[in-house]
Amino acid sequence: QVGLQPSGQSELEALREQNKHLRQELGKFAYALAKAREAMKAANLHFRLKITTPAPTHRLGPVRVAESRYEAGVMIGVVLVMGALFALPLMRPCNAWCETRLHRVCPLILIFNFLLLAYTLNALYYVDFNTCFFSAVRIVSVAIGASEQMLVGAGVIVGAFVLWKFKDRIFEFMGVEHGAHLVGDFRDWATCWSMKRFHPVEIFILKAEDLPAASIASKNSVFCEVALGYNVQMRTRVHNSAGQTCVFKESIQVNFDPYDTETRLNLVLKNQGTLGSDVICQVQLGAQQVQQLEV
């Protein structure tokens, strides 16, 4: 006992030194905290230290998850089971048996789902009826907002498509001639309205034979009308009383795009009447046919 006394006194002194050191550190911390609180009061900031407790967890095998998340997962699973039970009479092979007994099967499923939901809400601690109700309301509101945005976007797309589809008629109603020349197509926008893809083509119109009579009382007064893409419609002079055979010997120059496979070269022979003109015959040539005729 006499030999152990000095060591016990030394340990006691060490503990006293440690206690003194901890008190000094706590004093410094309290002083710093008081200074920080005064600075926050001067800045009109309010801060309170709150004591928190660890959230309860649930063990799923080797993993621990928060109890609230676990109960939320259980509730989602129960809702999925309820939806599957409602859809069960409409699925094979149950639909063949339930098709004529839906008036009996559906009330039973409804009662079972109600009892299952009530038991689940009673067994869970963090999930109650109010939580389920407001969660459902939140989901419905999000779905309605997303549907509204989708419908607005679809309406804008459909409106733009309708305007693009009927642009020629709209321009015609507004009194704009050749509205397609003003708007253009995708090829024009993609090439920044460049004219490098066009090259001039001269069309020689020599003669037309075996033309049907457009009028019984008079001979045909023939002229030719040429239309190709963005080119302005051009016409030859009118050959009065030419009849069934007309010698033109005229040429017309147009801009031709060999890569435009949709545009057609329209050659129309018309009969000039007193108040207007009548079509006698016409022919359409595609881009490849025009290229084959080039010399």
Side-chain angles (χ1 to χ4, degrees), residues 162-237:
V162 171
L163 290 177
W164 179 263
K165 190 69 175 178
F166 297 97
K167 63 181 183 301
D168 296 335
R169 295 186 180 182
I170 294 174
F171 281 126
E172 184 179 356
F173 176 77
M174 296 172 60
V176 179
E177 295 183 357
H178 307 292
H181 300 177
L182 180 63
V183 178
D185 55 8
F186 175 76
R187 189 179 293 104
D188 298 315
W189 291 97
T191 57
C192 297
W193 296 87
S194 175
M195 298 296 294
K196 293 183 178 180
R197 69 178 191 270
F198 292 95
H199 65 269
V201 173
E202 188 173 7
I203 302 173
F204 292 93
I205 305 173
L206 300 179
K207 184 173 63 172
E209 297 178 344
D210 299 330
L211 298 177
S215 176
I216 302 175
S218 61
K219 295 182 179 180
N220 294 329
S221 296
V222 185
F223 70 96
C224 183
E225 184 178 84
V226 180
L228 175 61
Y230 292 150
N231 297 278
V232 180
Q233 291 184 356
M234 289 174 286
R235 301 175 180 84
T236 63
R237 65 181 183 85

Side-chain angles (χ1 to χ4, degrees), residues 115-168:
L115 295 177
L116 178 62
L117 180 62
Y119 175 78
T120 305
L121 292 176
N122 184 50
L124 299 179
Y125 179 76
Y126 289 96
V127 180
D128 53 5
F129 181 77
N130 290 336
T131 305
C132 296
F133 176 77
F134 287 110
S135 298
V137 171
R138 193 179 301 111
I139 292 173
V140 171
S141 63
V142 170
I144 292 175
S147 302
E148 182 181 0
Q149 294 180 357
M150 184 178 64
L151 291 176
V152 170
V156 171
I157 294 175
V158 171
F161 176 77
V162 171
L163 290 177
W164 179 263
K165 190 69 175 178
F166 297 97
K167 63 181 183 301
D168 296 335

